[in-house]
Amino acid sequence: MPLLDHLEELRQRVLRSLLAVVLAAIACLVAVKPLVRLLEEPAGSIHFLQLAPGEFLFVSFKVAGYAGLTLALPYVLYQGLAFVLPGLTRNERRLIAPAVAGSAVLFLGGLAFAWWALVPAALRFLVSYGADVVEPLWSIERYLDFVLLLMLATGLAFQLPVLQLLLGLFGLINWKSMLAAWRWVVLSASLAGAVLTPSTDPITMLLLAGAITALFLIGVGLVALTERFRAQTPPDAPPPEAAG
């Protein structure tokens, strides 16, 4: 296919992906109030304020946008796969599809982990720290910015095992080299926990750093299993030579 045709195909797939995100966001905007109530649950009895006219309206668009992107993610990944798969070999195609599926599952798992563990832990620490000095009355916009950013960062951090598995499958690194670098991984996980955590409290940073370290070890195990499976699988027999 000529280069211009490739660019036209890419443009069409990007437009379809954007349209899917917009339609999903519009659908989420219709049900945005239940979504906001769900995001408010980790805060418990905290009261939220609207500090400016129209603040909740803009917050509604923001929540609907994040939710729409999450819902449209499988279709966006499908469009990306449909564009790159024709240029890959048969073995590469076998690897990409499970990796993309695992990536989507891990992203959703990261969102659930952030909502279930990280956000409540951060809020408990932040509320109890100044409970005897100030009364917690929070801006709904600032609170949802905190929650959405933490969930997005955690979902992205949960992609680590997929990245390790792809590196191992393509032979760029083996599990022994990964495991030998565990000290640097712990240090990097701690730095990532500090950078990705919007609240900067130690409890959330430690939880996120621990989750990243555990995911790295899971990735090492997956690469080790893959290498062992490769070693036990005999290579394909070469085709017989034609009689001449």
Side-chain angles (χ1 to χ4, degrees):
M1 186 182 295
L3 177 60
L4 291 179
D5 291 341
H6 277 298
L7 294 177
E8 177 61 23
E9 181 187 1
L10 178 61
R11 187 181 73 87
Q12 292 293 333
R13 296 194 182 280
V14 170
L15 290 177
R16 291 172 190 169
S17 300
L18 291 176
L19 180 60
V21 173
V22 171
L23 292 177
I26 292 174
C28 292
L29 187 62
V30 176
V32 71
K33 290 184 178 180
L35 288 174
V36 172
R37 293 192 188 99
L38 181 65
L39 294 173
E40 288 178 345
E41 283 188 11
S45 59
I46 299 297
H47 295 284
F48 295 98
L49 301 176
Q50 183 174 225
L51 301 181
E55 179 177 344
F56 184 72
L57 176 62
F58 294 113
V59 167
S60 299
F61 285 117
K62 188 178 299 184
V63 172
Y66 276 97
L69 179 61
T70 302
L71 289 179
L73 182 62
Y75 183 76
V76 173
L77 292 176
Y78 163 76
Q79 290 295 331
L81 275 178
F83 179 74
V84 301
L85 280 181
L88 300 179
T89 64
R90 181 180 300 177
N91 290 333
E92 290 172 339
R93 295 179 188 178
R94 292 174 181 173
L95 300 178
I96 290 297
V100 171
S103 176
V105 171
L106 285 172
F107 182 78
L108 295 177
L111 296 182
F113 176 74
W115 183 83
W116 178 75
L118 295 185
V119 174
L123 295 181
R124 282 194 298 267
F125 174 82
L126 296 174
V127 171
S128 61
Y129 180 77
D132 55 341
V133 179
V134 295
E135 181 180 358
L137 297 173
W138 295 346
S139 162
I140 185 63
E141 182 179 13
R142 298 293 294 274
Y143 169 77
L144 289 178
D145 283 344
F146 162 77
V147 172
L148 294 173
L149 180 59
L150 183 57
M151 293 178 69
L152 178 62
T154 307
L156 294 177
F158 268 53
Q159 304 302 302
L160 181 59
V162 175
L163 177 61
Q164 291 175 260
L165 185 59
L166 289 176
L167 292 176
L169 288 173
F170 287 116
L172 299 177
I173 193 171
N174 56 47
W175 73 270
K176 294 181 180 179
S177 301
M178 292 182 183
L179 193 59
W182 69 268
R183 295 179 180 84
W184 291 102
V185 172
V186 172
L187 177 61
S188 301
S190 302
L191 293 175
V195 172
L196 297 177
T197 304
S199 63
T200 67
D201 66 280
I203 304 299
T204 311
M205 287 189 290
L206 288 175
L207 284 174
L208 185 55
I212 294 174
T213 304
L215 289 168
F216 171 78
L217 296 177
I218 292 173
V220 172
L222 291 175
V223 174
L225 288 175
T226 303
E227 292 180 1
R228 184 177 179 181
F229 178 75
R230 272 185 182 176
Q232 295 177 350
T233 303
D236 295 334
E241 295 183 1

